[in-house]
Amino acid sequence: MKILAISDTESKYFYDYYTPGKLRDFDLIISCGDLKLQYLEFLVTMAGCPLLYVHGNHDEAYTREPEGCICIDDTLYVHEGVRIMGLAGCHRYREGKYMYTESQMRRKVSRMRFRIKKAGGIDILVTHAPARGINDFDSISHMGFECFNELLYKYEPELFIHGHIHKNYGKDIPRRSTYGKTEIINAYDYCIVEI
């Protein structure tokens, strides 16, 4: 399965410089948040494949949800046998709809345990924020969640795709890394992955 992972900034390659057929080889698009709903609607229309998304911390500005796209916040979605879990938002650094403390995110994860068990695990974990100590920063606004590390340790998904950490924040921010058996993808702008 060929996946287009996107987050945080609208890619000029797929938007401003789009040419017909550019998206035809993708089986799935996964958005990790903080993207304009018009961009998501454009991609799902041109690609002809499902677009799954979680909300980022700046998506509280949506006046409606993007048409034709599937929100996977706080759910486990199965696409062609691939089990995909979604968790929105980032650490609470101000008041906001998609801002959570560690304990709030931990409760959200806990509410998912039965669905994960029933599905027999997770193949892809999709979040806006990173896991603690993996592609994150020490500042509260860009700190990862420790409970994500626990998910990675316990369920060993093949992929963990996140956003929120912009590549232009520093020259040493990795696009890909690993945590145990899991490949970590920073979806900032876009990244192409296969599972």
Side-chain angles (χ1 to χ4, degrees), residues 22-33:
K22 192 177 271 191
L23 294 164
R24 76 170 155 244
D25 293 334
F26 295 107
D27 301 299
L28 186 63
I29 300 173
I30 295 177
S31 169
C32 296

Side-chain angles (χ1 to χ4, degrees), residues 30-112:
I30 295 177
S31 169
C32 296
D34 284 356
L35 293 166
K36 295 176 185 171
L37 60 91
Q38 295 87 351
Y39 177 62
L40 298 181
E41 291 171 342
F42 174 82
L43 292 178
V44 76
T45 300
M46 295 301 156
C49 68
L51 190 155
L52 311 180
Y53 71 97
V54 294
H55 290 95
N57 53 301
H58 297 296
D59 291 337
E60 62 196 10
Y62 282 7
T63 56
R64 60 180 176 80
E65 295 302 312
E67 291 181 21
C69 303
I70 301 164
C71 180
I72 59 168
D73 288 354
D74 304 330
T75 193
L76 196 133
Y77 182 87
V78 179
H79 176 71
E80 295 183 10
V82 177
R83 301 159 300 180
I84 306 165
M85 180 177 167
L87 292 163
C90 73
H91 264 283
R92 182 179 300 280
Y93 62 90
R94 63 169 170 79
E95 287 302 313
K97 185 174 180 181
Y98 302 110
M99 307 264 190
Y100 306 97
T101 63
E102 180 71 39
S103 61
Q104 288 172 324
M105 185 61 76
R106 191 172 294 279
R107 281 194 296 276
K108 287 163 61 77
V109 168
S110 183
R111 288 192 291 267
M112 296 287 300

